[in-house]
Amino acid sequence: MDDIRHRLPRKPERFMDQLRQHIRQNGLAYRTEQTYVH
């Protein structure tokens, strides 16, 4: 299940959701997102 991205709310409030949104907006790889969040 590690290869399925988490859904994000339209306006994330939690820090981890904001971090995920920032990573995705900048076009970084999903593996990078996993590493940063971990």
Side-chain angles (χ1 to χ4, degrees):
M1 294 294 240
D2 287 339
D3 59 341
I4 299 174
R5 291 182 172 205
H6 296 272
R7 297 190 109 190
L8 295 176
R10 287 184 178 243
K11 188 175 180 186
E13 296 179 9
R14 295 179 20 203
F15 175 75
M16 294 307 286
D17 291 340
Q18 291 176 3
L19 176 62
R20 288 180 192 274
Q21 183 180 40
H22 179 76
I23 290 170
R24 293 178 190 183
Q25 286 176 343
N26 286 307
L28 298 177
Y30 181 59
R31 185 68 184 137
T32 303
E33 178 181 330
Q34 289 177 317
T35 301
Y36 286 7
V37 170
H38 187 283

